[in-house]
Amino acid sequence: MRSALPGGPHSIGSPHLRVAGVSKRFGQMLAVDAVDLAIDRGEFVTLLGDSGCGKTTLLRMIAGFATPDGGRIWRGDTDVTHAPSASRRMGFVFQSYALFPTKTAAQNIGFAPRMAGRPRREVAQRVAELAAMVEIDRLLDRYPHELSGGQQQRVALARALAAEPEILLLDEPMSALDARIRAKLRTELRGLVDRLGMTALYVTHDQEEALALSDRVAVMRAGRIEQVGSPGEIYHRPRSRFVAEFIGTSNLLRGTVEAAGLSIHGALWPIGMNGARPGDRLDVLVRPEHLRLAAAGAPGGMSGVITGSTFLGAARRLTVRCDDGLELIVEEASTASAMPSGRVSIVADYAHVVPLAPEAAA
């Protein structure tokens, strides 16, 4: 069973991969800004962020395809900061797959062991094993242009594994695939990595992918890691307004701290204050599934009217405009009773209201 512990599922001794104070500048732009990250052996960690946040640059420095301007990179106890990429014992799966167009799937997979001087029979056996593992053993004589995107992704993964790396690095390998294939392949990828006991560092801008795949997620912003935690921590306990807005669908509200709780849009919520004092302004996060509709005038509720509804399959997403103009998003089971007409109250599940750090408030 996958571990959700912050230290990772297989913590024994020093981290398997560690970066300390790693920075990279391109001209006047600081792409990666003194990043620290430690990954345990057998752990699956994802770098998540928008385009331009520095996640791919960081991954390429770890792989040895780019040189840091500062900081160090270790694989176990070995400093690999300036080691050639071929000697780092790291496999890399590119966003574009980067397959050799004039080589068959079998030749692509067998490229690394052939270059290492392995006997032909051993290379053929390794290719057959990996092809069976990623379920392309019937496609080995095909060229990349004869394969679908999902099949090319499997070849690229097998090729990365052929060199028997200790650590697997993946740069948005599923971004070009449709949603159905992505969902299937990410499940297979996670299962494969677990079976092999590999350490993996994955880069994506897709938060659903990151939350589904990872033991831990590192959310990046402007060259820095904003927060690292399990998917549950990132989603339910974001430490900053940025992470709260970036992950999932959010209701971000601002209220005034009072002795009895948070005074917020005409309601008083008895919640923890994250160190804030009476009179302070405080931002809080409430996920749509932690709000519910109640009859108008319900205690602790905010009054408003429903202005929109979207059917999402298992859930129904409602937009409610409060009397002071605030718009809130409420999610309820799509099998819930018919929506009420007229005025309603929106009531929060106080246990799931998350106060955000005062320094992160906008």
Side-chain angles (χ1 to χ4, degrees):
M1 183 174 181
R2 189 186 315 177
S3 168
L5 295 175
H10 305 292
S11 293
I12 301 175
S14 61
H16 196 190
L17 175 65
R18 181 163 63 99
V19 299
V22 168
S23 299
K24 183 68 176 178
R25 185 180 294 274
F26 297 105
Q28 297 300 310
M29 184 187 72
L30 187 58
V32 176
D33 186 6
V35 165
D36 297 316
L37 181 65
I39 301 175
D40 290 326
R41 187 175 297 274
E43 190 177 18
F44 196 118
V45 173
T46 295
L47 297 174
L48 173 65
D50 285 329
S51 297
C53 71
K55 58 189 186 296
T56 292
T57 300
L58 177 59
L59 193 75
R60 291 178 64 83
M61 287 190 288
I62 292 169
F65 301 149
T67 303
D69 295 328
R72 313 299 294 179
I73 301 169
W74 283 271
R75 188 199 71 241
D77 295 326
T78 303
D79 186 339
V80 297
T81 308
H82 300 291
S85 58
S87 69
R88 296 192 179 201
R89 302 295 307 276
M90 299 180 190
F92 199 99
V93 180
F94 295 88
Q95 182 176 3
S96 61
Y97 313 136
L99 299 176
F100 298 113
T102 60
K103 295 183 184 296
T104 64
Q107 291 168 336
N108 268 281
I109 297 169
F111 179 77
R114 281 199 309 273
M115 293 300 292
R118 300 286 182 85
R120 182 176 300 180
R121 180 178 295 180
E122 185 180 325
V123 172
Q125 182 179 353
R126 181 69 174 154
V127 169
E129 289 173 352
L130 289 169
M133 195 178 295
V134 299
E135 300 179 2
I136 55 166
D137 40 313
R138 297 182 180 181
L139 306 173
L140 288 175
D141 60 345
R142 296 191 188 181
Y143 291 88
H145 71 274
E146 298 174 321
L147 301 171
S148 69
Q151 290 166 346
Q152 290 185 53
Q153 195 262 4
R154 293 170 189 268
V155 175
L157 177 59
R159 186 180 64 176
L161 295 174
E164 300 181 349
E166 290 187 16
I167 298 169
L168 186 62
L169 308 175
L170 306 102
D171 184 15
E172 304 218 39
M174 301 184 198
S175 60
L177 305 177
D178 64 51
R180 183 181 62 84
I181 297 297
R182 277 204 312 271
K184 181 177 187 295
L185 288 183
R186 75 187 181 209
T187 301
E188 293 178 0
L189 171 64
R190 179 66 210 227
L192 176 61
V193 169
D194 284 347
R195 287 199 305 275
L196 295 174
M198 295 197 72
T199 303
L201 181 59
Y202 191 98
V203 159
T204 186
H205 66 275
D206 185 325
Q207 57 179 273
E208 179 181 336
E209 195 167 86
L211 297 177
L213 276 171
S214 311
D215 293 310
R216 288 188 299 152
V217 177
V219 181
M220 290 195 68
R221 176 192 188 192
R224 295 185 175 185
I225 292 179
E226 189 87 0
Q227 183 176 348
V228 182
S230 71
E233 290 168 343
I234 294 291
Y235 183 82
H236 291 295
R237 295 292 167 186
R239 294 177 187 166
S240 70
R241 186 182 181 99
F242 172 80
V243 176
E245 289 182 308
F246 186 73
I247 301 295
T249 303
S250 309
N251 292 295
L252 291 167
L253 302 88
R254 174 169 291 184
T256 302
V257 176
E258 297 184 0
L262 186 69
S263 176
I264 187 161
H265 295 275
L268 184 65
W269 290 359
I271 63 171
M273 296 302 169
N274 203 28
R277 296 173 296 181
D280 288 349
R281 302 284 282 169
L282 182 67
D283 285 1
V284 295
L285 162 72
V286 193
R287 298 291 185 191
E289 62 269 28
H290 297 141
L291 293 175
R292 63 178 176 84
L293 297 181
M302 291 178 284
S303 298
V305 295
I306 298 172
T307 59
S309 173
T310 304
F311 183 79
L312 301 175
R316 180 168 65 192
R317 181 173 293 172
L318 308 174
T319 303
V320 181
R321 182 180 294 276
C322 297
D323 293 344
D324 59 3
L326 173 71
E327 283 197 343
L328 294 174
I329 300 171
V330 180
E331 280 189 9
E332 60 182 12
S334 59
T335 54
S337 57
M339 288 182 296
S341 58
R343 300 184 62 75
V344 297
S345 286
I346 306 97
V347 179
D349 180 349
Y350 302 135
H352 292 99
V353 176
V354 183
L356 299 177
E359 65 271 16

